Amino acid sequence: MKTMNKLKLTTLSIAIALLAGCGSDESNDTNPNNGNTPSNSKNQALLSKAANISITDSGSSLGKCTSGVGNTYQTENLFIEATAANITASQLQQAGQIAQVALDELKADANLTTAELGLNSERWTVCFNDPNGGGHSGSAYENSWEQHLKSDPSDLYRLAKHEMTHVAGFEFFGGETNSGEVYKWFTEALAVYIAQADKIVPAREIDNYAAVVGIVSPITINTHTTENTVKAKYENVYDIYVTTIAVLSKKYGISVRDWFDLYTEAKSSGDFKAAFNTFMTAKGATGVTHNNLEDLTTWKNLVAGYVESDMSNQVNIEADYPAEFVFIEAIDYKNSGVSAQIGRSDVAATTGTVYFNGDTIADGVHKVYTESEINGKWYMIGPVNVEFSNGNVINTNTINFKGAPKEEYVD
């Protein structure tokens, strides 16, 4: 079965292919945002918060960003600078305000203090680059990061939150993590988990990953180089990372703050794998060692088994074409959406039961899509408007995709 990549579907505002390797590693942005700012209720909530962030003009470039141009601005905890001449002052100011919202919410979500992040008397620097550019979308360093200035505020927010999670990790580690010091799978898993916990994939996608010829357990991925080797076989490895850390978090009661503390423990021990083992033992995860999880079958059984049992929400569907997956688009700026599965053992179905986890689904009406292969081509079918409450579908027992519009998947 071909794995669908929703991130490349042109009409959905869920394009977060921008979240990839950071921390002095660089990520490819396969879907640059270069239109006008989308107007929807999801973004309005974020923009309302951003408008309340105080931002001041620091004058001419302070030279904090390579090739900085124009004026530099500052918020309570950030210096904001542009590295592209086509970024207007108003765009830069709003981007800086959104980044400060993301930082405030990171601190609240992870129970981090300003002092722990080294922000009592200093500011981190964020360098916004060409909003029309492709290539690398974000890189994090000690006390700073750079990123594309995404025109969609929600995309910008999530990318900023991802990158600053790396910067926060460097603070806990006591400096940038060099190649292999802290395993690549962990640094990216935590950043995606904080910025996009909704990217957790169904058990069947874990099965698909494990079935790829020559693939390895993601827990073995320690550097950017080894990550690229895996990406050549399975592009969306970040979905696998975040699903792994989400399972460990939920199964063993590990908080986001706890995971930051693992950075400090890894620095103290000088051995990430040993620190991980001690950390998991302290959480009551007997036998869950790094070495054990490096075995592909052991890792798959733990992660896929838990995801399967954790998908306690369900709804029936009807469709014209066999549905591989269902995607529930978010109405909250913090999330892009939730993937659901048509039974772990079913390849596809025109009727059946969809299983999903509703924890991150906000109350309200969401757009829901299916993915189907039709005459050898892949399509996204929908949207169908569906109302949710407390993570469950309400007012209907069946989502009917019959007659819904379809759009061909674009590589």
Side-chain angles (χ1 to χ4, degrees), residues 296-345:
L296 182 62
T297 301
T298 301
W299 165 81
K300 185 189 83 166
N301 289 342
L302 172 67
V303 175
Y306 188 86
V307 170
E308 182 80 357
S309 65
D310 194 45
M311 286 192 162
S312 58
N313 304 84
Q314 63 186 65
V315 65
N316 297 323
I317 67 159
E318 293 181 356
D320 294 316
Y321 309 99
E324 289 281 354
F325 285 102
V326 170
F327 184 76
I328 305 162
E329 190 173 10
I331 57 176
D332 181 343
Y333 67 85
K334 293 185 178 182
N335 300 311
S336 58
V338 173
S339 294
Q341 67 181 47
I342 316 295
R344 188 178 181 189
S345 61

